[in-house]
Amino acid sequence: MSEGFSEGEKVLCFHGPLMYEAKVRSLTIEYWSGRPDGLEGHFYFVHYRGWKQSWDEWVSEERVMKYSPENLVKQQELRSTQTARKVAKIPEKKPTAEAPKKRRRDSTAEREEDFIKRPEIKIMIPDALKTLLVEDWESVTKNQKLVALPRAINVNDVLNRYQDYIKEGQRRRGAREGRSDESLGEVIDGLRVYFDRALGNILLYRFERQQYVDIKKQYPEKAMSEIYGAEHLLRLFVHMPSIIAHTNMEQDAVHILKDHFTQFLGYLLKFQKELFIEDYEPAPPSYVQAVKGN
């Protein structure tokens, strides 16, 4: 059902498997029916932000969504789903020779349906950390501020401190070190690897990409987990459900991993003031100009 989009309204629009920011240029007054592709309903003529006008097109109402914080999250989830295989290094399945070729339907409808039907793995992020994520997004995308890098407490430091924190708790309780201690080390190592692989693909906002390029040139021998801090590590947990969904992990292992993540997020919450910076730095005019020029 149409949400009543108006001419000139900023929206999010499906193009292939992803959603992009767009503007409604025109809309149909009448109800279109009997189209060769089988689609019926109201259509909107949209322009995708930053794209050439040659990409402007009429799209069905099912492809257009309100520009809202909730749909921006959905846009990010779609993006992370597309890159999760690359991050996790899971090869795409190739069709067998015996499998008959399906008649191609509307690819957008298929992709949206796949997104809706995708198994959901929920990771509960505490409300206070969700607030940090919103403030983080606003600082970078709206206020054009950046996290000063390198961080005094980087991702490696956060993970090592967490591991020491858990081990100290085990010692105080007189817990025996064994498989649980081994799995803790595996989770820590896995988070470090996933962060280094995911940062440049799905964890940065557009305004931060130039900073990322500059940092890699400045520190070519360092892993990004030695440069970035808790602010960007927290973003990883927004994408973790999609990353986990594209692995061959057994269900029992997924439950164990979720327990570890819940415990780790609790640690971030407890030491929030120590691990997260309060104020981001305003980007200098030269940086803003460089971003606009890209």
Side-chain angles (χ1 to χ4, degrees):
M1 182 179 293
S2 173
E3 295 191 54
F5 303 104
S6 57
E7 192 169 328
E9 181 177 352
K10 182 164 69 172
V11 297
L12 291 171
C13 184
F14 274 98
H15 186 88
L18 302 177
M19 286 193 294
Y20 300 90
E21 182 180 330
K23 179 178 287 188
V24 176
R25 288 284 178 85
S26 182
L27 52 127
T28 57
I29 304 300
E30 71 278 6
Y31 186 93
W32 287 9
S33 62
R35 287 167 53 95
D37 54 15
L39 294 175
E40 296 185 350
H42 295 282
F43 284 72
Y44 300 90
F45 191 70
V46 300
H47 169 74
Y48 297 99
R49 183 176 181 270
W51 294 29
K52 293 182 179 180
Q53 287 189 354
S54 58
W55 287 96
D56 292 3
E57 61 176 341
W58 287 99
V59 298
S60 61
E61 58 188 343
E62 290 82 7
R63 287 174 56 184
V64 188
M65 303 186 73
K66 286 287 185 184
Y67 192 90
S68 66
E70 293 79 10
N71 289 334
L72 285 170
V73 170
K74 185 178 293 186
Q75 179 192 37
Q76 195 74 358
E77 289 177 344
L78 284 168
R79 181 185 171 198
S80 65
T81 299
Q82 284 297 105
T83 56
R85 284 188 181 277
K86 180 179 178 181
V87 174
K89 291 189 175 180
I90 303 298
E92 294 282 345
K93 293 183 179 180
K94 296 182 179 179
T96 60
E98 294 79 12
K101 292 185 178 180
K102 290 184 178 180
R103 183 180 178 182
R104 185 176 179 180
R105 302 187 307 162
D106 182 77
S107 60
T108 300
E110 287 182 346
R111 297 286 187 160
E112 293 178 50
E113 185 178 351
D114 290 342
F115 171 70
I116 295 171
K117 290 183 177 180
R118 181 168 54 85
E120 191 173 2
I121 302 171
K122 290 186 177 180
I123 297 175
M124 302 303 295
I125 300 177
D127 289 342
L129 295 183
K130 287 181 181 179
T131 300
L132 279 185
L133 286 167
V134 173
E135 293 174 349
D136 170 59
W137 175 78
E138 290 181 345
S139 294
V140 177
T141 62
K142 289 188 175 182
N143 301 330
Q144 295 188 331
K145 293 184 176 182
L146 298 168
V147 174
L149 300 174
R151 286 283 284 112
I153 303 176
N154 60 40
V155 170
N156 276 345
D157 295 330
V158 174
L159 295 174
N160 290 335
R161 289 185 183 196
Y162 170 69
Q163 189 168 23
D164 292 342
Y165 171 80
I166 294 298
K167 288 183 176 180
E168 179 61 28
Q170 291 174 341
R171 281 193 289 269
R172 285 199 304 267
R173 295 191 304 272
R176 301 170 68 183
E177 295 185 3
R179 291 188 62 185
S180 61
D181 188 64
E182 182 180 338
S183 67
L184 172 63
E186 291 175 353
V187 170
I188 296 298
D189 291 340
L191 283 173
R192 185 180 292 109
V193 169
Y194 273 127
F195 179 83
D196 285 331
R197 291 179 182 174
L199 180 70
N201 290 313
I202 59 178
L203 300 187
L204 297 175
Y205 298 116
R206 181 178 179 274
F207 189 71
E208 296 175 302
R209 297 206 65 83
Q210 184 60 49
Q211 183 191 38
Y212 173 73
V213 171
D214 295 341
I215 282 292
K216 286 185 72 70
K217 288 180 181 178
Q218 189 175 355
Y219 301 96
E221 303 299 323
K222 285 195 172 185
M224 292 299 99
S225 52
E226 299 176 82
I227 304 293
Y228 288 77
E231 299 78 22
H232 291 81
L233 179 59
L234 180 58
R235 296 182 197 175
L236 178 64
F237 288 88
V238 177
H239 301 279
M240 264 303 176
S242 297
I243 295 174
I244 295 173
H246 286 85
T247 66
N248 296 324
M249 200 176 297
E250 296 290 339
Q251 196 63 36
D252 289 345
V254 171
H255 288 312
I256 293 173
L257 195 59
K258 285 174 62 179
D259 290 341
H260 277 290
F261 288 166
T262 299
Q263 199 169 20
F264 180 73
L265 289 169
Y267 170 81
L268 292 183
L269 179 62
K270 183 175 182 178
F271 296 96
Q272 173 183 335
K273 291 185 178 180
E274 180 181 343
L275 300 176
F276 294 85
I277 58 173
E278 290 186 9
D279 297 315
Y280 293 12
E281 292 186 344
S286 58
Y287 180 91
V288 177
Q289 193 62 37
V291 171
K292 290 181 178 179
N294 291 339

